[in-house]
Amino acid sequence: MRIGVLGAGQLGRMLALAGYPLAKDFVFYDMSGSPSAGIGETISDPEGQRLDEFLNKVDRVTYEFEHLPVEVAEKIAAKTIVHPCPRALQICQNREAEKTLFGQLGIPTPQWKIADSAETLRAAAEELGCPVVAKTNTEGYDGKGQAVLRSPDDAAAAWQSIGHPRLMVEKFVDFSRELSIIAVRAECGDVAFYPMADNDHHQGILRYSVAPAPKLQAHLRTEAEYYIRGLLTELDYVGVLTLELFETPNGLIANEMAPRVHNSGHWTIEGAMTSQFENHVRAVSGHPLGNVEPRGVSCMINIIGEHGEIERILQLPYAHVHLYNKQERPGRKLGHVNILADNYQELVWRVLNCAQFLPGCPEFNSTLMSKG
Amino acid sequence: MRIGVLGAGQLGRMLALAGYPLAKDFVFYDMSGSPSAGIGETISDPEGQRLDEFLNKVDRVTYEFEHLPVEVAEKIAAKTIVHPCPRALQICQNREAEKTLFGQLGIPTPQWKIADSAETLRAAAEELGCPVVAKTNTEGYDGKGQAVLRSPDDAAAAWQSIGHPRLMVEKFVDFSRELSIIAVRAECGDVAFYPMADNDHHQGILRYSVAPAPKLQAHLRTEAEYYIRGLLTELDYVGVLTLELFETPNGLIANEMAPRVHNSGHWTIEGAMTSQFENHVRAVSGHPLGNVEPRGVSCMINIIGEHGEIERILQLPYAHVHLYNKQERPGRKLGHVNILADNYQELVWRVLNCAQFLPGCPEFNSTLMSKG
């Protein structure tokens, strides 16, 4: 079976690495002009002229990023099997549609309003009560296209800095930490949930994920599984789905979902019985799902901007290095390191030991220590 | 770094799958005319005309099979870095040279003699005392080119059936089981030893490996490590080396070595902290070695000839399927399944459960039960 992947970045690369052992082949369709998967065949098509050529080569189609034009996904779905469905893509590309669906399914969200001018942004800030976060309603990721309004008076400046005609305005959530849950649904409808991850961001980019999330109350996991199951069922979803959540004193509040394998699930490569990548390939291919149980406790550290002292990290007996073979550039995800341990205390010390070899990690020590 | 691999079968495929996360690229050089790696670039060269083209594409060279002409390896070594060294290849291609080296390094072997005619084969059988095993001195693998002589009278028939001008004749060893040890040596000279595997063969082909080998006396592991370290040092070896051994009441007796990643080490993909494939890539690339500690206990079951009920195996929560994307053919290795467990008793039941979905496995139940 040949699986076509829309997008050709590191997520596609890791899907392929997980899929070859299941006798799958991969063809990547890249519209960015800078594919980096570096494995399988890549059809580079910045002009959008080679889609049929791509479709003729593959048996099934999936994607590794959600910023694909929905028309493209629908055109593909008319010709071949696409997992997950274009509707999931459409919802993830539109915060208003996403929040509306969350609401319909009983998934708590921050209070929100839509703004389509500096004036309505100001009004939204006043009604919701500051601080609020304004985000482009479509597009935007890794913290781009966002602004925090500490007062309604910030509205004009925020509107100008974001420069987008339609904004999602959310009341600021006083959360204790960010969590994510990754689930996978098979063609037959079977669902499996990975243990939740505890995620720390820096400058809008995921810095590290600890999984299973330490000190997690059992009912919060049950809640998260209930929420994501609702989404999977509603969307008749096939493949891996990620739901980002805030932990608050009043329970979980959904932030956003991603219709794909997710950075906060990279720990599963060595830290779970079956990785999120293999499970996505299994689901998309119509196979049964693999076991999602964790193997010990894990921490995924992103390698961002610079590679740091990789040779030193390769010497650590508990570290697994995953490089994306990309050039260094500020803010770019270049790879990740999975740290394994038998318990959280051991994990934290191992992560601190590894982090000294990665630029930009040491500042997280105090956050990290609290997880031990 | 681009690594050139001489050979393009499943071992090369698994080297590449382990090497991409370390930002390596792979080019395969295939002289067989039937490459199956299915990943990276393959230069198919049955006529032997494209070696320079291959060498111009790569930074380092290694191999995935030892039946490569030594002249080719030496020609390559004159132009670029080849790990392991051509001398290792040369010795592994010649049982006489191999047994002689074992003897020089104090590694016990079966008593042996060389035969170059039916008459000398008969004489060797008489002198060693039957049963003896006659094997082609060069070439031959997976039990091919071998005959057992139960009496010196079998010499003429054995000579004819093997049809080779020079035979290694070995006194039959009364062994309780076959073991293997896999070690890896870095460019800097560091050495790491995987736990030994307990290997069962059927019709000359490895059927399954259990690792760490159950009920292994500690001094046998020490012995095996001492032997393989001697080989690594003597050959100034870089990469993964495998030594096959017989366990006897008088200790270990060496069978043969393989200068490469080995079928009895496939369990390391999920069963060890670092797989033999990653460690070979690390060594060949000049990186530090990865941790060779086991993760629980493992059994590798080869998928031979027919795929069996793979969908059923994909449902087993403790099984990891590795397919080579090859067509079914009697006796052909098509893939393997790694079974994981926390203890041997659990492992045996899991293996038995999995084996019912693989043709040709059930007959091993009684051997297998003894390992629980």
Side-chain angles (χ1 to χ4, degrees):
Chain A
M1 184 186 286
R2 300 198 95 190
I3 298 177
V5 180
L6 300 165
Q10 67 265 17
L11 299 180
R13 176 185 175 90
M14 291 186 276
L15 283 172
L17 289 171
Y20 277 98
L22 299 178
K24 310 304 174 196
D25 270 327
F26 291 83
V27 183
F28 297 94
Y29 179 73
D30 172 65
M31 296 184 77
S32 73
S34 58
S36 70
I39 188 172
E41 181 182 353
T42 298
I43 295 185
S44 191
D45 189 20
E47 310 292 322
Q49 303 297 314
R50 301 177 64 192
L51 186 60
D52 286 336
E53 179 189 340
F54 167 70
L55 293 179
N56 287 335
K57 284 175 182 278
V58 301
D59 304 303
R60 305 232 167 165
V61 171
T62 187
Y63 30 89
E64 57 128 49
F65 75 130
E66 66 269 35
H67 302 289
L68 180 84
V70 173
E71 312 85 74
V72 175
E74 282 172 345
K75 194 172 157 190
I76 295 168
K79 295 193 182 183
T80 187
I81 298 171
V82 184
H83 291 313
C85 56
R87 189 181 158 215
L89 201 65
Q90 193 168 23
I91 285 167
C92 294
Q93 288 177 2
N94 188 311
R95 294 184 198 280
E96 187 178 357
E98 187 184 52
K99 290 273 193 302
T100 303
L101 180 63
F102 286 172
Q104 286 168 351
L105 295 173
I107 303 171
T109 65
Q111 292 175 52
W112 58 273
K113 291 200 169 290
I114 292 295
D116 56 6
S117 65
E119 291 69 36
T120 49
L121 176 57
R122 183 186 180 90
E126 280 170 349
E127 286 175 50
L128 294 170
C130 280
V132 297
V133 185
K135 304 172 179 176
T136 56
N137 187 47
T138 55
E139 300 142 41
Y141 57 95
D142 280 353
K144 289 163 194 162
Q146 301 198 3
V148 174
L149 282 71
R150 310 236 160 250
S151 137
D153 296 340
D154 297 341
W159 179 260
Q160 197 169 6
S161 80
I162 298 176
H164 197 274
R166 195 169 176 85
L167 304 184
M168 163 63 64
V169 192
E170 294 168 15
K171 187 169 167 64
F172 192 81
V173 175
D174 189 17
F175 60 91
S176 51
R177 57 176 170 172
E178 293 185 48
L179 299 167
S180 59
I181 183 160
I182 294 180
V184 56
R185 185 166 177 270
E187 278 191 345
C188 65
D190 282 352
V191 172
F193 307 100
Y194 283 98
M196 295 177 75
D198 172 325
N199 306 317
D200 278 276
H201 292 74
H202 180 55
Q203 296 174 346
I205 304 177
L206 184 63
R207 186 75 249 191
Y208 60 77
S209 295
V210 174
K215 302 172 188 169
L216 184 72
Q217 292 170 278
H219 74 274
L220 294 183
R221 182 171 180 182
T222 308
E223 263 180 44
E225 292 181 358
Y226 177 80
Y227 297 153
I228 199 166
R229 185 190 284 278
L231 289 164
L232 291 167
T233 307
E234 167 64 23
L235 296 169
D236 195 15
Y237 194 99
V238 174
V240 163
L241 177 70
T242 307
L243 181 61
E244 296 179 20
L245 299 149
F246 299 118
E247 183 179 334
T248 79
N250 305 317
L252 298 175
I253 292 185
N255 179 26
E256 59 181 23
M257 67 180 191
R260 52 167 168 79
V261 290
H262 193 261
N263 198 165
S264 69
H266 291 1
W267 66 272
T268 60
I269 298 177
E270 289 88 12
M273 283 295 285
T274 312
S275 77
Q276 64 167 349
F277 302 101
E278 177 174 337
N279 257 329
H280 188 71
V281 171
R282 284 176 177 239
V284 164
S285 309
H287 293 307
L289 302 178
N291 182 351
V292 292
E293 287 298 305
R295 302 183 75 184
V297 295
S298 298
C299 179
M300 187 284 314
I301 313 175
N302 268 334
I303 304 173
I304 298 170
E306 299 170 56
H307 281 104
E309 298 176 67
I310 292 291
E311 290 296 307
R312 299 292 297 274
I313 297 173
L314 287 171
Q315 290 176 331
L316 302 175
Y318 40 74
H320 293 267
V321 173
H322 298 269
L323 301 177
Y324 310 151
N325 216 356
K326 288 159 81 171
Q327 296 297 311
E328 296 185 343
R329 195 170 69 197
R332 193 179 209 190
K333 290 177 181 170
L334 303 173
H336 67 273
V337 182
N338 285 344
I339 305 286
L340 301 174
D342 292 327
N343 60 64
Y344 292 108
Q345 193 175 17
E346 186 180 61
L347 183 69
V348 166
W349 287 107
R350 289 176 173 185
V351 171
L352 292 178
N353 197 31
C354 177
Q356 66 184 312
F357 304 121
L358 287 172
C361 273
E363 67 260 38
F364 290 97
N365 291 4
S366 61
T367 321
L368 193 57
M369 291 298 286
S370 70
K371 307 189 195 295
Chain B
M1 185 187 284
R2 299 199 95 188
I3 298 177
V5 180
L6 300 165
Q10 68 265 20
L11 299 180
R13 175 184 175 90
M14 290 187 277
L15 283 173
L17 288 171
Y20 276 97
L22 299 177
K24 310 303 173 195
D25 270 327
F26 291 84
V27 183
F28 297 95
Y29 180 74
D30 172 66
M31 297 184 76
S32 73
S34 59
S36 69
I39 189 173
E41 181 181 353
T42 297
I43 295 184
S44 191
D45 189 20
E47 310 293 322
Q49 303 297 312
R50 300 176 65 191
L51 187 60
D52 286 336
E53 180 188 341
F54 167 70
L55 294 179
N56 287 336
K57 284 176 183 275
V58 301
D59 304 304
R60 306 232 167 165
V61 171
T62 188
Y63 30 89
E64 58 129 49
F65 76 129
E66 66 271 34
H67 301 289
L68 179 86
V70 173
E71 314 83 74
V72 175
E74 283 172 345
K75 195 174 157 190
I76 294 167
K79 295 192 182 184
T80 187
I81 297 170
V82 184
H83 291 315
C85 55
R87 189 181 158 214
L89 202 66
Q90 191 169 26
I91 285 167
C92 293
Q93 288 178 2
N94 187 311
R95 296 185 196 279
E96 186 178 358
E98 187 184 50
K99 290 274 195 302
T100 302
L101 180 64
F102 285 171
Q104 286 167 352
L105 295 173
I107 303 171
T109 65
Q111 291 175 54
W112 60 273
K113 290 200 171 289
I114 293 294
D116 56 7
S117 66
E119 292 69 37
T120 49
L121 175 57
R122 184 186 180 91
E126 280 171 348
E127 285 174 52
L128 294 170
C130 279
V132 296
V133 185
K135 304 172 179 175
T136 57
N137 188 46
T138 55
E139 299 141 40
Y141 58 96
D142 279 353
K144 289 162 194 161
Q146 301 197 4
V148 174
L149 283 70
R150 310 238 160 250
S151 135
D153 297 340
D154 297 341
W159 179 260
Q160 197 168 8
S161 79
I162 298 176
H164 198 273
R166 194 169 176 85
L167 304 184
M168 163 63 64
V169 192
E170 294 169 16
K171 186 169 169 67
F172 192 82
V173 175
D174 188 16
F175 60 91
S176 52
R177 59 177 169 170
E178 294 184 48
L179 300 168
S180 59
I181 183 162
I182 294 180
V184 56
R185 185 167 177 270
E187 277 192 342
C188 66
D190 282 352
V191 173
F193 308 100
Y194 283 98
M196 295 178 76
D198 173 324
N199 305 317
D200 277 276
H201 292 75
H202 180 55
Q203 296 174 345
I205 303 177
L206 184 64
R207 187 75 251 189
Y208 59 78
S209 296
V210 175
K215 302 173 188 167
L216 183 71
Q217 294 169 277
H219 74 276
L220 294 183
R221 183 170 180 184
T222 308
E223 263 179 42
E225 291 181 358
Y226 176 81
Y227 298 153
I228 199 166
R229 186 190 283 278
L231 288 163
L232 291 167
T233 307
E234 168 63 24
L235 297 169
D236 195 15
Y237 193 98
V238 174
V240 163
L241 178 70
T242 308
L243 181 62
E244 295 180 19
L245 299 148
F246 299 119
E247 182 178 334
T248 80
N250 305 315
L252 298 174
I253 292 183
N255 180 24
E256 61 182 20
M257 66 180 190
R260 54 169 168 77
V261 289
H262 192 261
N263 198 166
S264 69
H266 290 1
W267 64 272
T268 60
I269 297 176
E270 289 90 11
M273 283 293 288
T274 312
S275 77
Q276 63 167 347
F277 301 102
E278 177 174 336
N279 256 330
H280 189 70
V281 172
R282 283 176 177 238
V284 165
S285 310
H287 292 307
L289 302 179
N291 183 350
V292 292
E293 288 299 305
R295 301 183 77 183
V297 296
S298 297
C299 178
M300 187 285 313
I301 313 175
N302 269 334
I303 303 173
I304 298 170
E306 298 169 58
H307 281 105
E309 298 175 69
I310 292 292
E311 291 296 307
R312 298 292 297 273
I313 297 174
L314 287 172
Q315 291 177 331
L316 303 175
Y318 41 74
H320 292 267
V321 173
H322 299 268
L323 301 176
Y324 310 151
N325 216 355
K326 289 158 81 171
Q327 296 296 312
E328 296 186 343
R329 196 170 70 197
R332 194 179 209 192
K333 291 177 181 171
L334 303 173
H336 68 273
V337 182
N338 285 344
I339 305 286
L340 300 174
D342 291 327
N343 60 64
Y344 292 109
Q345 195 175 16
E346 186 180 61
L347 183 70
V348 165
W349 286 107
R350 289 176 172 185
V351 171
L352 292 178
N353 197 33
C354 177
Q356 66 182 313
F357 305 120
L358 286 172
C361 273
E363 66 262 37
F364 291 95
N365 291 4
S366 61
T367 320
L368 193 57
M369 292 297 285
S370 70
K371 306 190 197 294

